[in-house]
Amino acid sequence: QSALTQPPSASGSPGQSVAISCTGTSSDIGASDHVSWYQQHPGKAPKLIIYEVDQRPSGVPDRFSGSKSDNTASLTVSGLQTEDEADYYCCSFGGKNNWVFGGGTKLTVV
Amino acid sequence: EVLLVESGGGPVQPGGSLRLACVGSGFPFSEYSLNWVRQAPGKGLEWLTHVGAGNYMWFADSVKGRFSASRDNAKNSIYLQMNSLRVDDTAVYFCTRDKYWASDYWGQGTLVTVSS
């Protein structure tokens, strides 16, 4: 159950767009549409922002979007705002009745 | 309002045991699967176990044989029994509600510290 691979950091200026990648294998991301993304601010519990690859829960701004191609999922944050500065984690349901998370990406809005 | 509240964390010595509880409210508890997810200090998230609405359970390889789980729908609760605890089990343990194979609600977490 190896962790999914995310870049440790990403950055962008207010108003810009940034994409965060999440690479897995043909056993997890490549085999599943059950890919989700979480936002976590310091000292807080994670918050679901994308599920089923590209679906947004109610209340999540449409600035957040998700996609998937082969074994890689991506989260794009458009129109960056200062409050988007947080850690972001991807997650995929695997082929052995398990979930695997990515290592996390720290997004800085400079 | 959906709420998940974890309890039972605290300090424990290596080799010891601890039982965490999670109480849910604001939703039909028996109809939902729930997960336990942990986060070591300064580290990322790690899925541990899935407690199905039908009372089936799946575990991460890292805790199979040491951790067990159960649910009591009459008390709107799930539990995580942790045995043979190791220093690297030190983490905040979150209870989450499963929807669409994702964790749509999270508790505030309970801290487990394994140290001699």
Side-chain angles (χ1 to χ4, degrees):
Chain A
Q1 295 173 340
S2 300
L4 305 176
T5 301
Q6 297 181 236
S9 63
S11 64
S13 300
Q16 288 187 333
S17 293
V18 64
I20 298 172
S21 63
C22 172
T23 302
T25 69
S26 57
S27 296
D28 38 62
I29 292 179
S32 174
D33 285 334
H34 305 311
V35 177
S36 51
W37 288 89
Y38 302 87
Q39 177 191 63
Q40 186 179 33
H41 287 107
K44 301 293 188 181
K47 173 188 174 183
L48 177 67
I49 55 173
I50 295 288
Y51 66 96
E52 300 287 78
V53 177
D54 59 5
Q55 300 299 300
R56 277 186 311 277
S58 174
V60 173
D62 60 6
R63 303 185 294 102
F64 293 91
S65 61
S67 62
K68 189 189 88 162
S69 177
D70 296 327
N71 299 339
T72 299
S74 297
L75 172 73
T76 299
V77 187
S78 305
L80 272 173
Q81 299 183 4
T82 55
E83 58 262 37
D84 298 333
E85 186 162 295
D87 293 326
Y88 291 84
Y89 294 91
C90 60
C91 182
S92 175
F93 182 68
K96 298 182 179 180
N97 294 336
N98 65 292
W99 279 262
V100 61
F101 281 95
T105 297
K106 182 177 182 62
L107 175 61
T108 302
V109 181
V110 296
Chain B
E1 179 191 11
V2 172
L3 280 178
L4 296 167
V5 180
E6 304 93 338
S7 61
V12 61
Q13 293 190 334
S17 298
L18 213 54
R19 187 194 193 212
L20 306 183
C22 169
V23 179
S25 60
F27 63 101
F29 187 86
S30 64
E31 296 178 14
Y32 282 83
S33 298
L34 296 106
N35 297 293
W36 286 101
V37 176
R38 71 182 177 185
Q39 186 171 35
K43 302 297 184 182
L45 301 170
E46 180 186 14
W47 171 79
L48 299 178
T49 183
H50 177 84
V51 183
N55 214 24
Y56 59 90
M57 290 163 209
W58 300 330
F59 291 89
D61 287 346
S62 59
V63 300
K64 272 180 189 174
R66 295 192 302 127
F67 291 9
S68 62
S70 60
R71 71 186 292 159
D72 184 342
N73 289 333
K75 295 183 178 180
N76 281 8
S77 296
I78 63 167
Y79 306 94
L80 184 67
Q81 177 66 43
M82 305 186 295
N83 299 326
S84 303
L85 283 163
R86 309 187 298 227
V87 171
D88 63 359
D89 292 317
T90 294
V92 174
Y93 286 71
F94 294 100
C95 168
T96 82
R97 191 181 80 165
D98 187 281
K99 189 170 184 181
Y100 303 124
W101 305 90
S103 289
D104 67 339
Y105 283 92
W106 296 62
Q108 85 288 349
T110 187
L111 176 63
V112 173
T113 303
V114 186
S115 172
S116 55

